[in-house]
Amino acid sequence: MHRFIKIILVLFPLQGVAQPQIDVVFPQPDQALKQSDSHFIYGNVQPANAKFWINDKSVSLYKKVAFMDFMPVTSGKFVFHCKAVANGDTASYSLPVSISKQIQLPADSLAIDFASIQPNAVLILIPGDELVVSLRATPGCKAQFRIEGMNDWYPLISENDQSDFYSGSLFVAAQQEDPPATNGDDIGVFQITESEAIVNSKIEIQLQNSERDLLSHVFGKISFLPAPINRVVELLPEITILRTEPESKRNPYLPRGIKLLITGKKGELWRVALDEKESGWLEDGAFAWLPKDTKIPQSGLSSIHIEKTTGYTRMIFPLQMKLPFHVEEKRGSSELCLTIWGAQPYSGSMIDTGNDEIIRDISWSDSETGSMRFVIKLNLRQNWGYDAQYEGTSLQLDIRHPPALISNSSPLKGRLILLDPGHHPDEGAIGPTRLEERDINWRIAQKLKKMLQQKGATVVLTRSEQNGTSIQGRVQMIEMVKPDVAISIHNNSLPEGFNPYRGRGTTAYYYHPHSYRLTQALHRNLTKDLRLPSQGVRFADLAICRPTNTPVALVEPAFMVIPRQEYLLGTDRFQTSVAKSLRRGLEQFFRESR
């Protein structure tokens, strides 16, 4: 006889065995990403023994936690399907995003990519200006444009029969007997006279294919004036950036109260005539219109005075009114070039350097177009900065003296050094394990501060660990403290669509040429010690690098978003290596700049 025993088996989850978890840091759900055939995705996975896939592709986990991959995508709605498997469990996570797509233009019918049409802003043009019209449209068709109120059509030319990009231009010229010759690239010349002024007219585009089908589109708002607007305005902000070209790299920074002559407009930018040949551009809202009878800003200049102040040699240019000016440098040179637009020399103008030990020579020239240019040669191996500002209507150029040498054996002793731990209150870049850049920047700054103080330097920080400040506040601190040098400490991120595997490593940035040697010394020591790929010393128009009164560098030792580099940045050893490299770079700079 067989006896049966009934057994009931109850399964309980094993204690201490973690279920898989997926944390995607970038991109965010439903984020709109720019048009690209591939995008990166990064984050972290738990537990340490998990296996991980994205869209059925096996993805490795750095230190068994962090991941980053550069994956092919398709335009429109796209989904990253993530899956993690560990301890017999599976976690799935679907991340939808939106990939911008370029409009596909059919070859068998007429079509225009309306988002590509240029110009896309209000234009006010005067004689001497060029109107450029461009767009993407069906390849192989005939394209032309004209201005509302005018009969002439002007061709739009594509690079070849397969190209879908068309462009053409015309010049606005004053009336003359013979039109100016073109160089073969210019599409047409339109001669405007006072009776032919065009105000708030639209631009019409017309396409025609081999079947003679027509497609027309009207857009924009444009005015041709027979003469410049010629209205004087006065700058309102404390500091205004005057763009010497709409996309210029280096631009004059002008103080409140400067008067300028407006002559035309392109979109949100108003054109300023600095003299008969040079012009600049102001953003809308940066100025107030003055009465129509306000005279064009001009002033005579009879002499230049030179005097010494604490730590500076001051050059004084007495003017009758505030005029726009610009100080320029050349990398590798200790010269300063000062241009004052609207200044004219009185007879007998003279300059006496007064045997100043900083200024070796001053030369000047005036142009027939209405400006004066001064070339100031300095007895310096390294330009340590300058300040240019108005005291009343006198322009003062303060040229900084080199910091005093306290000790031959210790180049940092007695130096005043400002450190800017980048970011806060914003987090900055966030790494795959959600390490925040602002915290890493702070830790590096603290280690560097201690090292510099041990060498006899005085160190000032732009923020505390808990309380941040704005970019404007950091810039103002540099201008007020007037340190011997300033370093802004950051760590890098990546723009959308960039390949994270292409030599991402150490970068350093400067703006003014007198900051180049400092930036180069810091970068040289970082790349030598950290042994990450070098992305070079780069020029960049960054707000923190714009102060003129001291050498300023912004350093990016590593990339927060790359798993291996984020891991390194989170270690005390790597942070100490970064701080030591920066200290050595500072020592090298001060030693070589005497």
Side-chain angles (χ1 to χ4, degrees):
M1 178 178 177
H2 299 282
R3 300 182 66 182
F4 294 91
I5 302 174
K6 185 176 182 180
I7 300 176
I8 300 176
L9 181 64
V10 179
L11 298 177
F12 295 95
L14 293 175
Q15 297 297 318
V17 177
Q19 293 183 329
Q21 295 180 338
I22 303 170
D23 176 23
V24 177
V25 177
F26 180 90
Q28 295 293 302
D30 299 315
Q31 183 171 344
L33 302 177
K34 72 175 189 178
Q35 194 276 326
S36 179
D37 60 2
S38 299
H39 274 280
F40 59 80
I41 175 173
Y42 68 84
N44 62 86
V45 174
Q46 301 288 343
N49 64 336
K51 303 296 182 182
F52 185 56
W53 294 264
I54 303 177
N55 293 347
D56 296 325
K57 176 188 175 183
S58 178
V59 177
S60 62
L61 300 175
Y62 186 77
K63 295 294 182 181
K64 301 183 179 181
V65 177
F67 70 85
M68 170 178 261
D69 206 67
F70 192 54
M71 309 205 69
V73 297
T74 55
S75 299
K77 292 294 183 181
F78 183 83
V79 180
F80 292 100
H81 295 286
C82 305
K83 182 177 73 172
V85 176
N87 305 319
D89 286 328
T90 300
S92 298
Y93 176 57
S94 295
L95 176 69
V97 294
S98 177
I99 311 293
S100 299
K101 55 184 177 181
Q102 191 176 47
I103 295 177
Q104 298 300 314
L105 298 168
D108 57 352
S109 62
L110 294 174
I112 295 173
D113 178 1
F114 295 106
S116 71
I117 295 176
Q118 296 290 337
N120 59 1
V122 175
L123 302 183
I124 300 177
L125 305 181
I126 60 173
D129 286 344
E130 180 185 15
L131 169 65
V132 178
V133 178
S134 64
L135 74 156
R136 289 183 64 241
T138 302
C141 67
K142 177 183 178 182
Q144 57 186 358
F145 76 96
R146 69 177 176 182
I147 309 300
E148 182 183 23
M150 296 168 53
N151 295 323
D152 293 335
W153 287 89
Y154 297 89
L156 292 163
I157 307 299
S158 63
E159 295 179 356
N160 53 62
D161 291 340
Q162 285 74 43
S163 174
D164 62 9
F165 181 78
Y166 295 82
S167 66
S169 62
L170 62 83
F171 288 94
V172 184
Q175 188 175 23
Q176 50 191 352
E177 293 182 2
D178 297 314
T182 67
N183 60 10
D185 295 327
D186 305 324
I187 303 306
V189 176
F190 170 61
Q191 294 182 328
I192 186 170
T193 65
E194 186 172 355
S195 61
E196 294 173 314
I198 299 295
V199 179
N200 291 337
S201 293
K202 294 185 178 298
I203 301 172
E204 181 181 0
I205 294 173
Q206 188 177 87
L207 302 181
Q208 186 175 24
N209 59 18
S210 57
E211 283 73 34
R212 306 190 67 80
D213 296 328
L214 287 176
L215 175 64
S216 296
H217 178 65
V218 177
F219 69 98
K221 186 179 290 186
I222 184 171
S223 297
F224 292 158
L225 302 183
I229 296 173
N230 284 351
R231 282 284 302 275
V232 176
V233 299
E234 183 173 330
L235 299 182
L236 298 176
E238 184 176 348
I239 294 293
T240 298
I241 300 176
L242 181 66
R243 305 182 186 183
T244 51
E245 293 293 340
E247 296 181 359
S248 178
K249 288 185 176 180
R250 291 191 177 94
N251 309 291
Y253 291 78
L254 301 179
R256 180 189 294 119
I258 295 284
K259 295 180 176 62
L260 299 166
L261 182 67
I262 295 285
T263 60
K265 186 180 185 184
K266 288 186 177 182
E268 299 300 315
L269 297 177
W270 292 85
R271 181 178 42 221
V272 171
L274 296 170
D275 58 25
E276 292 181 9
K277 291 185 177 180
E278 292 188 83
S279 61
W281 300 86
L282 287 175
E283 291 186 357
D284 205 4
F287 56 85
W289 295 96
L290 298 181
K292 291 184 178 181
D293 58 354
T294 302
K295 294 183 178 179
I296 297 174
Q298 290 180 333
S299 174
L301 180 61
S302 60
S303 62
I304 300 170
H305 309 299
I306 297 176
E307 60 184 42
K308 291 183 180 179
T309 62
T310 303
Y312 290 86
T313 290
R314 174 169 291 169
M315 300 181 65
I316 303 174
F317 302 80
L319 301 167
Q320 285 77 53
M321 66 169 57
K322 295 180 179 180
L323 296 176
F325 65 90
H326 187 33
V327 181
E328 296 177 273
E329 306 172 64
K330 291 182 180 178
R331 208 177 81 189
S333 169
S334 60
E335 289 184 358
L336 294 177
C337 298
L338 169 66
T339 300
I340 307 177
W341 291 287
Q344 293 294 321
Y346 287 137
S347 59
S349 293
M350 61 180 295
I351 304 171
D352 182 9
T353 62
N355 296 319
D356 186 86
E357 68 270 20
I358 297 299
I359 298 177
R360 185 172 78 247
D361 182 60
I362 305 173
S363 60
W364 65 270
S365 60
D366 63 309
S367 69
E368 296 179 355
T369 59
S371 63
M372 293 186 71
R373 179 180 174 85
F374 300 85
V375 178
I376 306 154
K377 296 182 179 180
L378 306 177
N379 286 317
L380 297 173
R381 179 178 175 84
Q382 162 70 36
N383 179 358
W384 292 89
Y386 60 88
D387 276 321
Q389 58 190 354
Y390 275 98
E391 183 64 35
T393 59
S394 291
L395 178 61
Q396 295 182 352
L397 176 61
D398 289 345
I399 303 171
R400 188 165 185 174
H401 293 178
L405 179 63
I406 305 297
S407 170
N408 288 321
S409 60
S410 180
L412 295 175
K413 188 172 183 179
R415 304 300 187 207
L416 176 58
I417 299 172
L418 181 141
L419 301 180
D420 171 45
H423 299 285
H424 203 7
D426 67 294
E427 302 92 345
I430 300 177
T433 64
R434 298 200 174 270
L435 199 61
E436 295 182 358
E437 182 194 351
R438 62 178 173 185
D439 294 334
I440 301 303
N441 299 342
W442 173 257
R443 295 178 205 171
I444 293 171
Q446 284 295 299
K447 294 178 187 300
L448 178 57
K449 176 184 177 182
K450 185 176 180 180
M451 294 177 189
L452 297 176
Q453 289 174 332
Q454 290 172 347
K455 293 288 186 176
T458 299
V459 181
V460 177
L461 297 179
T462 57
R463 69 170 175 93
S464 67
E465 183 176 10
Q466 301 300 328
N467 298 311
T469 186
S470 65
I471 288 292
Q472 292 78 12
R474 297 166 197 255
V475 170
Q476 290 171 0
M477 196 167 182
I478 294 175
E479 294 172 340
M480 291 173 58
V481 172
K482 296 180 172 61
D484 295 328
V485 297
I487 304 175
S488 186
I489 301 170
H490 287 252
N491 283 283
N492 225 332
S493 184
L494 280 172
E496 294 175 14
F498 275 54
N499 189 335
Y501 303 123
R502 290 184 177 173
R504 307 302 177 187
T506 303
T507 319
Y509 298 92
Y510 74 99
Y511 181 66
H512 296 291
H514 68 259
S515 298
Y516 179 78
R517 282 181 177 169
L518 169 65
T519 311
Q520 186 182 47
L522 297 174
H523 179 265
R524 184 186 300 122
N525 282 271
L526 284 169
T527 53
K528 177 183 176 182
D529 297 339
L530 303 183
R531 302 193 177 189
L532 294 175
S534 170
Q535 293 195 267
V537 175
R538 300 183 177 185
F539 168 87
D541 187 5
L542 303 171
I544 196 68
C545 294
R546 290 178 193 155
T548 63
N549 65 350
T550 192
V552 184
L554 185 147
V555 296
E556 307 244 28
F559 274 78
M560 290 293 304
V561 299
I562 296 177
R564 175 177 175 267
Q565 295 185 32
E566 183 211 28
Y567 171 81
L568 291 173
L569 285 166
T571 64
D572 184 81
R573 181 177 180 178
F574 190 82
Q575 295 165 18
T576 300
S577 294
V578 172
K580 285 182 178 179
S581 300
L582 295 175
R583 188 208 69 206
R584 282 194 281 263
L586 284 168
E587 289 174 328
Q588 181 181 2
F589 168 73
F590 282 116
R591 190 178 294 114
E592 295 178 351
S593 298
R594 298 303 305 174

